[in-house]
Amino acid sequence: MITLTTYRWVPDFAAPLMRALRVRWALEEAGLPYKVRTLALGPDQKSPAHLARQPFGQAPAIEDGDLVLFESGAIALHVAKGSEALLPRDPAGRARAVGWLFAALNTVEYPVQELAVIDLFHAGEAWAGERRPQVETVLRERLAMLQAALGGREYLEGRFTVGDLMMADVLRILRHTDILDAFPALKAYRERCEARPAFRRALQAQLEGFAAAA
């Protein structure tokens, strides 16, 4: 059985967005059982045992038999490779789905995350007032391109894949803003992904775990 290592508790604003959710969601979509190991923020993160799992002292990480793996994107892809629910059988379809996973992490998440850091941690600082409009301009350009690529389809490749899982979770980081209101197809896409039963189970498990530790 896969063991997921995640944090025991995070602040309320971070609880729905903590990246272990991507792993839980992938496991739920694939129908794979898993157990959870938690660690506290602080000294636990730098313990030799955890650094052997995650060399930067972060979370999530998994152990799957002899395989120890960190980074949510790599873990989601590992899970997806064994599940037709997350990757189609045909090689071209699989390659395109993986391409969308990397697009989510490399092309879209970068400006999304920078905007979130400004808004949630530095909103009152002078430099933030100068930097935020620049970041938002880049982000809106990327979102416009993403919406054009999605077109009228329900999912990026017509059916749900690990690429949609990652892209939707990146878009969830924008929930503290109204930016997606200008991109109705993307907003509906995110909501469609969030309505999936596997996502709801994963989110409930993550929030219940944090609540129990609070």
Side-chain angles (χ1 to χ4, degrees), residues 45-69:
Q45 295 176 259
K46 301 298 176 64
S47 69
H50 185 57
L51 290 175
R53 292 185 292 264
Q54 218 293 358
F56 302 103
Q58 298 176 323
I62 66 161
E63 293 151 73
D64 185 7
D66 294 331
L67 174 66
V68 180
L69 193 60

PDB file of all heavy atoms in Angstrom, residues 45-69:
ATOM      1  N   GLN A  45      10.365  18.430   9.941  1.00  0.00           N
ATOM      2  CA  GLN A  45      10.663  18.556   8.518  1.00  0.00           C
ATOM      3  C   GLN A  45      12.136  18.319   8.215  1.00  0.00           C
ATOM      4  O   GLN A  45      12.489  17.924   7.104  1.00  0.00           O
ATOM      5  CB  GLN A  45      10.272  19.954   8.020  1.00  0.00           C
ATOM      6  CG  GLN A  45       8.786  20.242   8.083  1.00  0.00           C
ATOM      7  CD  GLN A  45       8.494  21.661   7.662  1.00  0.00           C
ATOM      8  OE1 GLN A  45       8.288  22.527   8.500  1.00  0.00           O
ATOM      9  NE2 GLN A  45       8.485  21.919   6.370  1.00  0.00           N
ATOM     10  N   LYS A  46      12.995  18.593   9.193  1.00  0.00           N
ATOM     11  CA  LYS A  46      14.444  18.457   8.988  1.00  0.00           C
ATOM     12  C   LYS A  46      15.001  17.187   9.627  1.00  0.00           C
ATOM     13  O   LYS A  46      16.217  17.025   9.719  1.00  0.00           O
ATOM     14  CB  LYS A  46      15.154  19.681   9.562  1.00  0.00           C
ATOM     15  CG  LYS A  46      14.703  21.007   8.949  1.00  0.00           C
ATOM     16  CD  LYS A  46      15.005  21.075   7.455  1.00  0.00           C
ATOM     17  CE  LYS A  46      14.475  22.357   6.826  1.00  0.00           C
ATOM     18  NZ  LYS A  46      15.124  23.553   7.343  1.00  0.00           N
ATOM     19  N   SER A  47      14.123  16.310  10.048  1.00  0.00           N
ATOM     20  CA  SER A  47      14.607  15.064  10.647  1.00  0.00           C
ATOM     21  C   SER A  47      15.268  14.204   9.573  1.00  0.00           C
ATOM     22  O   SER A  47      14.883  14.249   8.395  1.00  0.00           O
ATOM     23  CB  SER A  47      13.443  14.298  11.274  1.00  0.00           C
ATOM     24  OG  SER A  47      12.572  13.815  10.264  1.00  0.00           O
ATOM     25  N   PRO A  48      16.275  13.412   9.944  1.00  0.00           N
ATOM     26  CA  PRO A  48      16.924  12.543   8.952  1.00  0.00           C
ATOM     27  C   PRO A  48      15.938  11.624   8.243  1.00  0.00           C
ATOM     28  O   PRO A  48      16.066  11.383   7.039  1.00  0.00           O
ATOM     29  CB  PRO A  48      17.933  11.756   9.798  1.00  0.00           C
ATOM     30  CG  PRO A  48      18.240  12.650  10.963  1.00  0.00           C
ATOM     31  CD  PRO A  48      16.951  13.359  11.258  1.00  0.00           C
ATOM     32  N   ALA A  49      14.945  11.122   8.978  1.00  0.00           N
ATOM     33  CA  ALA A  49      13.986  10.208   8.368  1.00  0.00           C
ATOM     34  C   ALA A  49      13.202  10.915   7.262  1.00  0.00           C
ATOM     35  O   ALA A  49      12.980  10.346   6.180  1.00  0.00           O
ATOM     36  CB  ALA A  49      13.034   9.663   9.427  1.00  0.00           C
ATOM     37  N   HIS A  50      12.770  12.160   7.523  1.00  0.00           N
ATOM     38  CA  HIS A  50      11.989  12.845   6.495  1.00  0.00           C
ATOM     39  C   HIS A  50      12.866  13.332   5.348  1.00  0.00           C
ATOM     40  O   HIS A  50      12.451  13.282   4.183  1.00  0.00           O
ATOM     41  CB  HIS A  50      11.204  14.014   7.078  1.00  0.00           C
ATOM     42  CG  HIS A  50      10.309  14.656   6.064  1.00  0.00           C
ATOM     43  ND1 HIS A  50       9.343  13.947   5.374  1.00  0.00           N
ATOM     44  CD2 HIS A  50      10.252  15.934   5.574  1.00  0.00           C
ATOM     45  CE1 HIS A  50       8.722  14.749   4.524  1.00  0.00           C
ATOM     46  NE2 HIS A  50       9.259  15.949   4.619  1.00  0.00           N
ATOM     47  N   LEU A  51      14.074  13.803   5.644  1.00  0.00           N
ATOM     48  CA  LEU A  51      14.960  14.249   4.570  1.00  0.00           C
ATOM     49  C   LEU A  51      15.335  13.106   3.637  1.00  0.00           C
ATOM     50  O   LEU A  51      15.655  13.338   2.466  1.00  0.00           O
ATOM     51  CB  LEU A  51      16.209  14.901   5.156  1.00  0.00           C
ATOM     52  CG  LEU A  51      15.980  16.258   5.831  1.00  0.00           C
ATOM     53  CD1 LEU A  51      17.270  16.736   6.482  1.00  0.00           C
ATOM     54  CD2 LEU A  51      15.462  17.289   4.839  1.00  0.00           C
ATOM     55  N   ALA A  52      15.276  11.882   4.127  1.00  0.00           N
ATOM     56  CA  ALA A  52      15.512  10.729   3.252  1.00  0.00           C
ATOM     57  C   ALA A  52      14.354  10.536   2.280  1.00  0.00           C
ATOM     58  O   ALA A  52      14.534   9.976   1.189  1.00  0.00           O
ATOM     59  CB  ALA A  52      15.710   9.472   4.089  1.00  0.00           C
ATOM     60  N   ARG A  53      13.161  11.005   2.678  1.00  0.00           N
ATOM     61  CA  ARG A  53      11.997  10.927   1.798  1.00  0.00           C
ATOM     62  C   ARG A  53      11.889  12.150   0.903  1.00  0.00           C
ATOM     63  O   ARG A  53      11.517  12.051  -0.265  1.00  0.00           O
ATOM     64  CB  ARG A  53      10.700  10.817   2.629  1.00  0.00           C
ATOM     65  CG  ARG A  53      10.520   9.528   3.404  1.00  0.00           C
ATOM     66  CD  ARG A  53       9.159   9.496   4.076  1.00  0.00           C
ATOM     67  NE  ARG A  53       9.040  10.470   5.150  1.00  0.00           N
ATOM     68  CZ  ARG A  53       9.236  10.201   6.439  1.00  0.00           C
ATOM     69  NH1 ARG A  53       9.573   8.972   6.812  1.00  0.00           N
ATOM     70  NH2 ARG A  53       9.095  11.139   7.348  1.00  0.00           N
ATOM     71  N   GLN A  54      12.177  13.313   1.477  1.00  0.00           N
ATOM     72  CA  GLN A  54      12.000  14.581   0.779  1.00  0.00           C
ATOM     73  C   GLN A  54      13.223  15.440   1.109  1.00  0.00           C
ATOM     74  O   GLN A  54      13.311  16.029   2.176  1.00  0.00           O
ATOM     75  CB  GLN A  54      10.715  15.272   1.242  1.00  0.00           C
ATOM     76  CG  GLN A  54       9.933  15.993   0.169  1.00  0.00           C
ATOM     77  CD  GLN A  54      10.639  17.226  -0.405  1.00  0.00           C
ATOM     78  OE1 GLN A  54      11.734  17.604   0.004  1.00  0.00           O
ATOM     79  NE2 GLN A  54      10.008  17.875  -1.369  1.00  0.00           N
ATOM     80  N   PRO A  55      14.204  15.530   0.216  1.00  0.00           N
ATOM     81  CA  PRO A  55      15.480  16.166   0.555  1.00  0.00           C
ATOM     82  C   PRO A  55      15.395  17.637   0.893  1.00  0.00           C
ATOM     83  O   PRO A  55      16.356  18.199   1.419  1.00  0.00           O
ATOM     84  CB  PRO A  55      16.339  15.928  -0.699  1.00  0.00           C
ATOM     85  CG  PRO A  55      15.386  15.595  -1.793  1.00  0.00           C
ATOM     86  CD  PRO A  55      14.213  14.942  -1.132  1.00  0.00           C
ATOM     87  N   PHE A  56      14.258  18.279   0.613  1.00  0.00           N
ATOM     88  CA  PHE A  56      14.102  19.692   0.944  1.00  0.00           C
ATOM     89  C   PHE A  56      13.221  19.903   2.177  1.00  0.00           C
ATOM     90  O   PHE A  56      12.866  21.032   2.518  1.00  0.00           O
ATOM     91  CB  PHE A  56      13.523  20.450  -0.255  1.00  0.00           C
ATOM     92  CG  PHE A  56      14.371  20.317  -1.483  1.00  0.00           C
ATOM     93  CD1 PHE A  56      13.997  19.456  -2.516  1.00  0.00           C
ATOM     94  CD2 PHE A  56      15.563  21.011  -1.608  1.00  0.00           C
ATOM     95  CE1 PHE A  56      14.783  19.311  -3.641  1.00  0.00           C
ATOM     96  CE2 PHE A  56      16.364  20.865  -2.732  1.00  0.00           C
ATOM     97  CZ  PHE A  56      15.979  20.013  -3.751  1.00  0.00           C
ATOM     98  N   GLY A  57      12.828  18.813   2.820  1.00  0.00           N
ATOM     99  CA  GLY A  57      12.049  18.914   4.051  1.00  0.00           C
ATOM    100  C   GLY A  57      10.626  19.374   3.848  1.00  0.00           C
ATOM    101  O   GLY A  57      10.006  19.901   4.773  1.00  0.00           O
ATOM    102  N   GLN A  58      10.079  19.180   2.651  1.00  0.00           N
ATOM    103  CA  GLN A  58       8.727  19.624   2.357  1.00  0.00           C
ATOM    104  C   GLN A  58       7.787  18.419   2.303  1.00  0.00           C
ATOM    105  O   GLN A  58       8.152  17.310   2.657  1.00  0.00           O
ATOM    106  CB  GLN A  58       8.718  20.397   1.033  1.00  0.00           C
ATOM    107  CG  GLN A  58       9.571  21.660   1.069  1.00  0.00           C
ATOM    108  CD  GLN A  58       9.634  22.354  -0.277  1.00  0.00           C
ATOM    109  OE1 GLN A  58       9.678  21.728  -1.334  1.00  0.00           O
ATOM    110  NE2 GLN A  58       9.636  23.681  -0.249  1.00  0.00           N
ATOM    111  N   ALA A  59       6.566  18.657   1.853  1.00  0.00           N
ATOM    112  CA  ALA A  59       5.581  17.600   1.672  1.00  0.00           C
ATOM    113  C   ALA A  59       4.749  17.976   0.448  1.00  0.00           C
ATOM    114  O   ALA A  59       4.606  19.172   0.136  1.00  0.00           O
ATOM    115  CB  ALA A  59       4.692  17.466   2.905  1.00  0.00           C
ATOM    116  N   PRO A  60       4.249  16.973  -0.268  1.00  0.00           N
ATOM    117  CA  PRO A  60       4.142  15.560   0.094  1.00  0.00           C
ATOM    118  C   PRO A  60       5.324  14.728  -0.401  1.00  0.00           C
ATOM    119  O   PRO A  60       6.150  15.188  -1.180  1.00  0.00           O
ATOM    120  CB  PRO A  60       2.871  15.132  -0.648  1.00  0.00           C
ATOM    121  CG  PRO A  60       2.929  15.957  -1.915  1.00  0.00           C
ATOM    122  CD  PRO A  60       3.477  17.293  -1.494  1.00  0.00           C
ATOM    123  N   ALA A  61       5.332  13.494   0.085  1.00  0.00           N
ATOM    124  CA  ALA A  61       6.207  12.443  -0.432  1.00  0.00           C
ATOM    125  C   ALA A  61       5.423  11.144  -0.311  1.00  0.00           C
ATOM    126  O   ALA A  61       4.469  11.057   0.464  1.00  0.00           O
ATOM    127  CB  ALA A  61       7.509  12.376   0.360  1.00  0.00           C
ATOM    128  N   ILE A  62       5.825  10.151  -1.098  1.00  0.00           N
ATOM    129  CA  ILE A  62       5.177   8.845  -0.975  1.00  0.00           C
ATOM    130  C   ILE A  62       6.230   7.753  -0.923  1.00  0.00           C
ATOM    131  O   ILE A  62       7.368   7.931  -1.361  1.00  0.00           O
ATOM    132  CB  ILE A  62       4.199   8.536  -2.141  1.00  0.00           C
ATOM    133  CG1 ILE A  62       4.958   8.391  -3.472  1.00  0.00           C
ATOM    134  CG2 ILE A  62       3.083   9.548  -2.216  1.00  0.00           C
ATOM    135  CD1 ILE A  62       4.173   7.669  -4.544  1.00  0.00           C
ATOM    136  N   GLU A  63       5.817   6.628  -0.369  1.00  0.00           N
ATOM    137  CA  GLU A  63       6.571   5.380  -0.457  1.00  0.00           C
ATOM    138  C   GLU A  63       5.641   4.354  -1.079  1.00  0.00           C
ATOM    139  O   GLU A  63       4.543   4.117  -0.576  1.00  0.00           O
ATOM    140  CB  GLU A  63       7.027   4.935   0.926  1.00  0.00           C
ATOM    141  CG  GLU A  63       8.065   5.877   1.536  1.00  0.00           C
ATOM    142  CD  GLU A  63       8.010   5.887   3.058  1.00  0.00           C
ATOM    143  OE1 GLU A  63       8.449   4.887   3.653  1.00  0.00           O
ATOM    144  OE2 GLU A  63       7.515   6.883   3.611  1.00  0.00           O
ATOM    145  N   ASP A  64       6.081   3.774  -2.183  1.00  0.00           N
ATOM    146  CA  ASP A  64       5.309   2.774  -2.923  1.00  0.00           C
ATOM    147  C   ASP A  64       6.222   1.569  -3.118  1.00  0.00           C
ATOM    148  O   ASP A  64       7.001   1.514  -4.067  1.00  0.00           O
ATOM    149  CB  ASP A  64       4.858   3.336  -4.264  1.00  0.00           C
ATOM    150  CG  ASP A  64       3.952   2.370  -5.033  1.00  0.00           C
ATOM    151  OD1 ASP A  64       3.578   1.328  -4.459  1.00  0.00           O
ATOM    152  OD2 ASP A  64       3.617   2.674  -6.195  1.00  0.00           O
ATOM    153  N   GLY A  65       6.152   0.629  -2.183  1.00  0.00           N
ATOM    154  CA  GLY A  65       7.101  -0.469  -2.193  1.00  0.00           C
ATOM    155  C   GLY A  65       8.496   0.066  -1.923  1.00  0.00           C
ATOM    156  O   GLY A  65       8.719   0.772  -0.939  1.00  0.00           O
ATOM    157  N   ASP A  66       9.431  -0.226  -2.823  1.00  0.00           N
ATOM    158  CA  ASP A  66      10.798   0.257  -2.654  1.00  0.00           C
ATOM    159  C   ASP A  66      10.996   1.665  -3.192  1.00  0.00           C
ATOM    160  O   ASP A  66      12.074   2.250  -3.004  1.00  0.00           O
ATOM    161  CB  ASP A  66      11.777  -0.684  -3.370  1.00  0.00           C
ATOM    162  CG  ASP A  66      11.826  -2.067  -2.731  1.00  0.00           C
ATOM    163  OD1 ASP A  66      11.580  -2.160  -1.513  1.00  0.00           O
ATOM    164  OD2 ASP A  66      12.114  -3.044  -3.447  1.00  0.00           O
ATOM    165  N   LEU A  67       9.991   2.202  -3.855  1.00  0.00           N
ATOM    166  CA  LEU A  67      10.119   3.535  -4.442  1.00  0.00           C
ATOM    167  C   LEU A  67       9.766   4.606  -3.428  1.00  0.00           C
ATOM    168  O   LEU A  67       8.695   4.577  -2.822  1.00  0.00           O
ATOM    169  CB  LEU A  67       9.188   3.661  -5.656  1.00  0.00           C
ATOM    170  CG  LEU A  67       9.117   5.055  -6.293  1.00  0.00           C
ATOM    171  CD1 LEU A  67      10.458   5.437  -6.916  1.00  0.00           C
ATOM    172  CD2 LEU A  67       8.007   5.119  -7.334  1.00  0.00           C
ATOM    173  N   VAL A  68      10.658   5.568  -3.259  1.00  0.00           N
ATOM    174  CA  VAL A  68      10.406   6.762  -2.453  1.00  0.00           C
ATOM    175  C   VAL A  68      10.419   7.938  -3.428  1.00  0.00           C
ATOM    176  O   VAL A  68      11.385   8.117  -4.184  1.00  0.00           O
ATOM    177  CB  VAL A  68      11.462   6.952  -1.358  1.00  0.00           C
ATOM    178  CG1 VAL A  68      11.166   8.215  -0.545  1.00  0.00           C
ATOM    179  CG2 VAL A  68      11.514   5.733  -0.449  1.00  0.00           C
ATOM    180  N   LEU A  69       9.346   8.742  -3.424  1.00  0.00           N
ATOM    181  CA  LEU A  69       9.189   9.776  -4.442  1.00  0.00           C
ATOM    182  C   LEU A  69       8.655  11.051  -3.808  1.00  0.00           C
ATOM    183  O   LEU A  69       7.783  11.006  -2.942  1.00  0.00           O
ATOM    184  CB  LEU A  69       8.213   9.277  -5.515  1.00  0.00           C
ATOM    185  CG  LEU A  69       8.110  10.043  -6.829  1.00  0.00           C
ATOM    186  CD1 LEU A  69       9.454  10.071  -7.565  1.00  0.00           C
ATOM    187  CD2 LEU A  69       7.041   9.404  -7.717  1.00  0.00           C
TER     188      LEU A  69
END
